[in-house]
Amino acid sequence: MHPRFAGRVPGKTPRVTQPTRVAESEPTRREAPVPVARRVGAWVVWWIVLMSFWVMLDDSIQFDEMLAGAGAAALAALAAEVVTYQAAARFRMRAEWLAPALRLPGQVAGDLITVFGALWRKLILGRDPRSEFAEIPVRYGDDTVEGATRRVLLVGGYSIAPNQFVLGIDKDLGAMVVHRLESKDGGG
Amino acid sequence: MKAAPIFSDVLLGLAVLLVLASALGVLVMPDAYQKLHFVTPAALVAPILVTLAIGVRMGLTENTGESCVALFFMVVAGPYLSHATMRAIRVREKGDWRPGGGGKAPEAEREQ
């Protein structure tokens, strides 16, 4: 028997209990049903994007190639739509959030020097890197689509340079937990 | 001799060196967290150099466009793969990635 029905008394409505704590990494549950037309629209958008990628990568407009691409894009669009629906994932962002991305090339270049400096010291001096887990204060934000998108972008943005990777954003701490290969306070 | 092919070869050479150095880093670093930091140069920076080399050599062609599309996916997916891998290592070690979730507080957790 499925656990959902265990202990159900006939004639009584089963009581649904909420989990005591849901990790922020777990997918959210959809609270309201999505109209079919909207889901079809999302599938069409996915299909157009994926078909465009097919044409660009396949570099051919032969009929049979296009037919194969249309089929592959349809399947991939279906999978993408079903996954985003099941996970209740939506993406909404503000343009100003992209401004800090301009600093990323400089950060990547700087971190490359840090990381390969650590490798050099390991190879020449036999000294292990001074790695650390650290907390970076960040505002967790709300549980709206926009808030979730902001956190996703924060995690990606802080994980792109090689010296630092994000483990997650702790709501209770109001901080982002990161691992650094070389700590900021004097790794060299 | 034109400069573009030479510049392109230099970029490709740099990409190869970067991947070799990253492989060395993965080989010699003592723990999984530290090894993971050497994946980014090979998975992100080297592909950028290769794409630049293709762009310099071939100009604005379909090949360059295809390389840019492939690079786009790598740049977008790379940080999240690193994040998910590091988080999985942490959860496997401590049971939770959070500071209080079974491990010591991060401040007191310096590895060396």
Side-chain angles (χ1 to χ4, degrees), chain A residues 21 23-25 53 56-59 108 112 115-116 118-119 122-123 128-135 152-153 155-157 159-170 173 177 179-181 183 185, chain B residues 18 21-22 24-25 28-31 33-38 40-41 44-45 62-63 65-66 69-70 72-73 75 78-80 82-84 86-87 90 96-100 105-107 109-112:
Chain A
R21 183 183 185 187
E24 56 90 20
S25 59
F53 282 136
M56 189 180 277
L57 293 174
D58 190 48
D59 194 20
V108 171
L112 269 184
V115 165
F116 285 115
L119 177 62
K122 173 71 179 171
L123 290 173
D128 286 341
R130 299 184 68 229
S131 302
E132 66 172 357
F133 288 97
E135 294 168 16
V152 166
L153 292 176
V155 168
S159 298
I160 203 164
N163 189 48
Q164 175 177 280
F165 291 138
V166 177
L167 279 84
I169 301 175
D170 194 315
L173 273 178
V177 181
H179 182 270
R180 295 193 184 114
L181 180 68
S183 67
D185 51 350
Chain B
L18 207 60
S22 300
L24 198 60
V28 301
M29 285 296 146
D31 69 35
Y33 296 109
Q34 293 172 342
K35 288 177 191 291
L36 196 59
H37 288 278
F38 287 90
T40 299
L44 178 77
V45 184
E62 289 167 358
N63 287 334
E66 289 170 5
V69 171
F72 171 77
F73 283 113
V75 169
Y80 295 103
S82 303
H83 153 71
M86 186 148 286
R87 187 170 164 131
R90 176 77 169 170
D96 195 343
W97 63 268
R98 293 175 186 82
E107 290 89 348
E109 206 173 352
R110 178 161 298 203
E111 290 171 359
Q112 285 207 315

Side-chain angles (χ1 to χ4, degrees), chain B residues 36-99:
Chain B
L36 196 59
H37 288 278
F38 287 90
V39 174
T40 299
L44 178 77
V45 184
I48 290 174
L49 293 173
V50 171
T51 305
L52 281 175
I54 293 170
V56 168
R57 177 70 67 99
M58 310 201 75
L60 288 175
T61 62
E62 289 167 358
N63 287 334
T64 307
E66 289 170 5
S67 305
C68 288
V69 171
L71 180 68
F72 171 77
F73 283 113
M74 295 185 82
V75 169
V76 170
Y80 295 103
L81 283 174
S82 303
H83 153 71
T85 309
M86 186 148 286
R87 187 170 164 131
I89 297 168
R90 176 77 169 170
V91 169
R92 185 173 172 82
E93 275 188 356
K94 303 283 186 184
D96 195 343
W97 63 268
R98 293 175 186 82

